[in-house]
Amino acid sequence: MYPLTRLRRLRRTEEMRALVRETALSPKDFIAPLFVCHGENIKKEIPAMPGQYHFSVDRIVEECQELYDLGVSGVMLFGIPEHKDGTGSEAYHDHGIVQQAIRAIKQAVPHLIVIADICMCEYTDHGHCGIIHDQYVDNDATLVYLAKQAVSYAHAGVDMVAPSDMMDGRILTMRKSLDENGFINLPIMAYSAKFSSAFYGPFREAADSTPSFGDRRSYQMDPANSDEAMREIESDIEEGADIVMVKPALPYLDVIQRAVQRYDVPMAAYHVSGEYSMVKAAAANGWIDEDRVVMESLIAIKRAGAKIIITYFAKDAARKLSGK
């Protein structure tokens, strides 16, 4: 009891605070999302996401080398196709843009973990995450194409696939297809609890993936539902997911913590585009200290229990942590 107990004693200096700090960040905690496009010598800033770019394959290799040198564990690739159609065919074409990037990155920076997002929204002419029948995303018809995408990325040399579509049964279908094609050791990071969130807006500009009709609420999760998130996570684990994910991160820290306490599986959290762009906009107006807000946000995500943080701030945070 006060005055015998004075909790401020251990906050007096930075050295003392560091000594008793409970949560520590490392560049190894981070995965950097990157957007790859066709062409050469392209590094074009995304208007809604200042500091983020569309990279051609040659320039994305340079970015990956820089991230690796900073100690960042890996990258997650999103493709910007030249051609879109009803089945998102470039997503599973052997010479698709993501497949090209995987090969180039693994040749140049072999020890950087390369993860490929699996979905159809960037590749379809309607912008939805699956096959459309009667203005509705057909769950079971979509599974075949998601599995083809996973196998194509595996042949290109990807280290991990990350399905983000939120179709029922996609993890089991993908696991079977990968195993049948000899990729029994390729892990799956499942976007298990992916909520239908307004925080995805800047990403949809970056990936040109806004639906041409309707929205994604019939397959992405209702933000009000935490119990359902546990069911989704458990289902993906039972179907063979090696890592599970909650997306977005900060508005769903309670879901992350609840899942970590309940399931003994590595947890990833996606610090999404809207979370990134809000910080950038506020900092540009002088309303916040960007560096401090970024680090506080990332610490909160890790403190909630995430082992892996997918964040557009990966490079900036790694620089700060490494002093480079």
Side-chain angles (χ1 to χ4, degrees):
M1 294 177 63
Y2 175 82
L4 188 63
T5 300
R6 292 179 181 263
L7 296 176
R8 288 182 56 189
R9 291 185 186 120
L10 300 181
R11 302 176 195 154
R12 189 169 56 87
T13 66
E14 174 53 31
E15 293 76 16
M16 194 69 73
R17 292 191 294 272
L19 180 67
V20 298
R21 190 162 289 142
E22 299 172 26
T23 305
L25 284 172
S26 162
K28 292 297 181 187
D29 297 329
F30 306 142
I31 300 293
L34 298 176
F35 300 92
V36 60
C37 63
H38 291 272
E40 295 181 359
N41 195 30
I42 296 171
K43 183 180 178 181
K44 182 180 179 182
E45 191 169 41
I46 299 164
M49 300 177 69
Q52 299 300 308
Y53 302 87
H54 289 147
F55 294 99
S56 54
V57 171
D58 54 333
R59 299 299 299 274
I60 208 168
V61 168
E62 296 174 2
E63 183 75 3
C64 287
Q65 183 66 63
E66 187 173 352
L67 288 163
Y68 179 74
D69 291 343
L70 288 167
V72 173
S73 283
V75 296
M76 180 177 286
L77 300 180
F78 297 89
I80 312 299
E82 282 186 321
H83 167 74
K84 298 189 178 193
D85 56 36
T87 63
S89 59
E90 187 174 321
Y92 50 87
H93 194 286
D94 286 345
H95 299 290
I97 189 59
V98 170
Q99 288 84 341
Q100 293 179 43
I102 292 167
R103 295 185 184 101
I105 296 166
K106 292 308 297 181
Q107 182 175 7
V109 199
H111 298 295
L112 183 72
I113 297 170
V114 178
I115 306 167
D117 175 85
I118 292 185
C119 197
M120 296 174 66
C121 60
E122 302 109 295
Y123 304 95
T124 54
D125 50 15
H126 48 73
H128 276 285
C129 301
I131 302 300
I132 299 295
H133 287 153
D134 298 324
Q135 298 289 292
Y136 188 76
V137 176
D138 186 323
N139 190 97
D140 293 4
T142 299
L143 300 182
V144 176
Y145 293 94
L146 297 172
K148 289 175 68 173
Q149 199 174 343
V151 171
S152 179
Y153 292 158
H155 280 296
V158 80
D159 295 303
M160 190 183 303
V161 292
S164 61
D165 54 283
M166 288 301 288
M167 298 298 116
D168 292 334
R170 85 253 202 236
I171 303 302
L172 181 59
T173 302
M174 205 170 293
R175 184 73 270 160
K176 286 182 176 179
S177 293
L178 288 168
D179 291 356
E180 288 167 0
N181 282 273
F183 299 106
I184 59 172
N185 292 319
L186 188 75
I188 297 173
M189 176 193 289
Y191 289 65
S192 297
K194 180 179 179 180
F195 291 86
S196 182
S197 173
F199 286 93
Y200 303 150
F203 174 91
R204 289 175 182 171
E205 176 182 313
D208 188 24
S209 62
T210 301
S212 60
F213 66 91
D215 54 42
R216 298 191 173 112
R217 284 183 285 186
S218 70
Y219 44 101
Q220 294 179 357
M221 284 192 58
D222 188 324
N225 294 356
S226 176
D227 289 346
E228 184 185 7
M230 298 304 105
R231 294 183 66 192
E232 286 280 10
I233 291 167
E234 186 167 341
S235 175
D236 283 354
I237 294 169
E238 290 174 349
E239 290 181 22
D242 301 282
I243 300 171
V244 295
M245 184 198 302
V246 172
K247 178 183 179 183
L250 292 177
Y252 299 92
L253 293 179
D254 61 315
V255 177
I256 295 171
Q257 187 173 61
R258 184 176 175 189
V260 167
Q261 292 172 345
R262 185 166 176 172
Y263 303 110
D264 188 20
V265 174
M267 170 62 68
Y270 199 143
H271 192 213
V272 300
S273 61
E275 297 170 273
Y276 173 87
S277 295
M278 286 194 303
V279 170
K280 286 290 186 181
N285 279 283
W287 296 335
I288 61 171
D289 180 326
E290 180 177 332
D291 286 348
R292 290 187 63 190
V293 168
V294 169
M295 300 309 289
E296 186 176 344
S297 299
L298 296 175
I299 287 169
I301 296 166
K302 188 168 183 182
R303 191 180 66 241
K307 301 290 187 185
I308 301 160
I309 304 173
I310 303 156
T311 176
Y312 299 96
F313 288 113
K315 183 191 283 189
D316 292 344
R319 280 179 177 151
K320 186 171 181 63
L321 290 166
S322 63
K324 295 182 180 179

